[in-house]
């Protein structure tokens, strides 16, 4: 098989700094594990706007369609707050998701033992937490038409449309059931079937897919508001949570914060299989561009490094190497080596972004 290709889009703010560390990890895999990638790099978000006047150049979009996987840092920053909506950094990210048709967004919320004290919840509620949120990513109210700000009777009205076809629900449900089978075999689907027709259809289709092909998976349904409440009350009851684009945006931030460490969480956005059998894929940390700390060597590279681990697992069929990398990150945390976002009152060794990279590389070496 050809050398797998990776397109790296560091984007804005700390995206650029954390990606430097990921590049070092990628180089290590080439040197030490004979896993070589053909890596190219390009601009997205504000960085692309600065150069091209658009948050995603057509050439970059075309490249993203061709590679085996995209690795994205973060987009956005106060510098771009006043830009027209159509060229805001976020539009670049949304275009990638939409045009690559990355309908299944995997957001693990996992509590690292060494970090359980960081949660705003009691330690016993979160220690050992391991949830996977599957968020539909290419439809729903993020993309539904009609949308816009219109004038009605001389007054402005803002409109977005929550719209789901049964095929869109069917395909994301299948991806979530498949994942559940590889985990604890439980899936909880969340919508608002009590007030929204799109929610009624969501529940119906998920139930049908389950009955037809996944009856072995334990399925439950919850209204999304109750789901939010349960996530905070007793998060360990969940294994896989399946939900739509907007609810998934909110519930995944909530779940991320349960772990107490946004700087630790990766994500994968997957689409249909390409000709070579690999899914269309983009991997990105859940944290944003954190403009307040950019350029100071304070950023935590772990989420981005763990996103590369997800790429190893889901795009390149290298589950063991993914586990090696995840284990290395865990070992570093267990030794009390921490970037600023993870410092506790009781100490630990504060390190910079690149020192965190050094420590993870040292653990990888030690794993050989
Ligand atoms: C996320 C982010 C994005 C979203 C923004 C940056 C467009 O919040 O990935 O969760 O709303 O989907
Ligand atoms: Mg979000």
């Amino acid at each position: 098989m050809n050398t797998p290709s990776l397109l790296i889009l560091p984007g804005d703010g700390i995206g650029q700094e954390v990606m430097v560390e990921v590049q070092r990890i990628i180089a290590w895999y080439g040197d030490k594990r004979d896993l070589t990638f053909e890596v190219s790099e390009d601009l997205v978000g504000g960085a692309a706007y600065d150069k091209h006047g658009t948050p995603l150049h057509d050439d970059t979009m075309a490249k993203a369609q061709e590679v085996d996987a995209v690795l994205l840092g973060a987009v956005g920053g106060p510098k771009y707050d006043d830009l027209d909506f159509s060229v805001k950094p976020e539009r670049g990210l949304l275009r990638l998701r939409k045009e690559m048709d990355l309908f299944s967004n995997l957001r693990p919320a996992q509590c690292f033992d060494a970090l359980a004290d960081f949660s705003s919840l009691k330690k016993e509620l979160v220690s050992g937490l391991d949830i996977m949120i599957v968020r539909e990513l290419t439809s729903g109210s993020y993309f539904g038409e009609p949308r816009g700000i219109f004038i009605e009777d001389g007054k402005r009205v803002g409109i977005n449309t929550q719209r789901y076809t049964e095929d869109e629900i069917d395909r994301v449900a299948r991806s979530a059931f498949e994942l559940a089978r590889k985990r604890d075999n439980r899936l909880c689907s969340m919508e608002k079937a009590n007030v929204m027709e799109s929610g009624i259809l969501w529940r119906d289709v998920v139930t049908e897919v389950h009955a037809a092909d996944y009856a072995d998976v334990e399925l439950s349904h919850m209204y999304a508001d109750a789901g939010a409440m349960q996530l905070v009350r007793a998060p360990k009851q969940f294994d896989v949570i399946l939900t739509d684009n907007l609810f998934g945006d909110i519930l995944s931030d909530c779940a991320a914060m349960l772990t107490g460490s946004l700087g630790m969480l990766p994500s994968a956005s997957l689409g249909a299989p390409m000709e070579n059998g690999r899914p269309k894929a983009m991997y990105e940390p859940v944290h944003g561009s954190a403009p307040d700390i950019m350029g100071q060597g304070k950023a935590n590279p772990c989420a981005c490094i763990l996103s590369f681990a997800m790429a190893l697992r889901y795009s390149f069929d290298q589950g063991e190497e993914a586990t090696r990398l995840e284990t290395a990150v865990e070992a570093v945390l267990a030794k009390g080596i921490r970037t600023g976002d993870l410092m506790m009152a009781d100490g630990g060794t504060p390190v910079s972004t690149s020192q965190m990279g050094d420590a993870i590389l040292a653990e990888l070496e030690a794993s050989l």
Side-chain angles (χ1 to χ4, degrees):
M1 205 186 247
N2 296 338
T3 311
S5 54
L6 271 177
L7 173 62
I8 294 198
L9 302 173
D12 305 320
I14 62 166
Q16 308 191 355
E17 295 154 62
V18 296
M19 207 56 94
V20 170
E21 303 313 312
V22 177
Q23 295 260 29
R24 294 172 68 201
I25 305 283
I26 294 173
W28 185 87
Y29 274 97
D31 288 349
K32 299 294 170 75
R33 303 303 302 154
D34 212 16
L35 261 178
T36 310
F37 296 91
E38 192 185 307
V39 181
S40 56
E41 197 173 319
D42 211 330
L43 304 172
V44 68
Y49 177 82
D50 288 340
K51 177 136 186 242
H52 302 300
T54 163
L56 187 72
H57 194 281
D58 289 345
D59 292 349
T60 316
M61 186 65 242
K63 259 192 239 169
Q65 296 283 21
E66 276 160 23
V67 292
D68 290 314
V70 177
L71 223 54
L72 186 136
V75 295
K79 188 178 158 195
Y80 308 105
D81 280 352
D82 295 329
L83 286 183
D84 186 73
F85 184 73
S86 64
V87 289
K88 276 195 186 298
E90 291 79 2
R91 304 309 304 169
L93 177 59
L94 292 169
R95 182 176 173 201
L96 281 162
R97 290 175 180 172
K98 185 69 182 174
E99 292 191 19
M100 292 172 75
D101 202 19
L102 304 172
F103 59 86
S104 180
N105 180 215
L106 278 41
R107 300 192 163 190
Q110 206 191 339
C111 186
F112 292 85
D113 275 349
L115 301 178
D117 279 323
F118 273 99
S119 178
S120 46
L121 295 193
K122 294 188 197 87
K123 189 171 178 172
E124 62 268 23
L125 288 182
V126 295
S127 74
L129 180 75
D130 181 8
I131 301 176
M132 178 69 86
I133 297 196
V134 178
R135 166 190 179 193
E136 199 291 326
L137 202 61
T138 51
S139 186
S141 48
Y142 272 56
F143 297 99
E145 301 279 349
R147 64 182 299 170
I149 299 175
F150 304 96
I151 306 286
E152 263 176 30
D153 300 330
K155 293 279 185 197
R156 287 172 302 167
V157 43
I159 299 181
N160 291 92
T161 302
Q162 167 81 336
R163 179 180 193 277
Y164 271 106
T165 66
E166 55 181 328
D167 288 352
E168 287 168 340
I169 302 167
D170 182 288
R171 65 181 185 171
V172 74
R174 285 178 191 279
S175 75
F177 281 122
E178 291 290 337
L179 259 174
R181 275 188 180 155
K182 293 187 190 132
R183 297 171 45 98
D184 200 31
N185 217 29
R186 293 182 293 123
L187 186 144
C188 180
S189 171
M190 297 187 186
E191 28 54 19
K192 287 280 289 178
N194 50 346
V195 287
M196 297 167 77
E197 285 79 2
S198 57
I200 296 176
L201 183 68
W202 184 281
R203 189 175 286 219
D204 284 351
V205 174
V206 171
T207 305
E208 288 158 16
V209 170
H210 176 250
D213 292 317
Y214 297 96
D216 55 301
V217 180
E218 187 185 315
L219 170 66
S220 58
H221 303 272
M222 233 180 238
Y223 298 138
D225 54 343
M229 191 259 285
Q230 290 298 336
L231 261 179
V232 178
R233 193 187 70 86
K236 283 193 251 180
Q237 70 185 283
F238 297 111
D239 178 25
V240 175
I241 294 175
L242 166 66
T243 190
D244 76 11
N245 203 343
L246 183 58
F247 294 139
D249 181 44
I250 298 166
L251 293 170
S252 65
D253 262 25
C254 178
M257 210 51 225
L258 294 176
T259 71
S261 41
L262 205 51
M264 294 302 304
L265 297 176
S267 76
S269 304
L270 306 177
M274 301 185 282
E275 260 174 38
N276 62 12
R278 295 186 173 121
K280 281 253 173 203
M282 178 161 77
Y283 299 87
E284 53 180 311
V286 168
H287 64 67
S289 60
D292 52 318
I293 58 162
M294 74 179 275
Q296 301 167 34
K298 288 183 181 168
N300 181 353
C302 290
C304 204
I305 289 171
L306 292 172
S307 299
F308 175 64
M310 288 188 91
L312 289 172
R313 176 170 291 119
Y314 293 109
S315 282
F316 303 115
D317 211 13
Q318 294 285 344
E320 275 177 32
E321 295 300 335
T323 304
R324 180 195 300 280
L325 184 50
E326 289 157 355
T327 308
V329 171
E330 254 175 89
V332 166
L333 294 177
K335 287 182 178 162
I337 298 172
R338 306 285 161 80
T339 42
D341 55 315
L342 304 178
M343 289 305 295
M344 273 186 258
D346 64 350
T349 313
V351 300
S352 67
T353 307
S354 63
Q355 286 170 325
M356 186 55 121
D358 294 342
I360 295 169
L361 283 166
E363 288 298 333
L364 284 175
E365 276 298 320
S367 76
L368 294 179

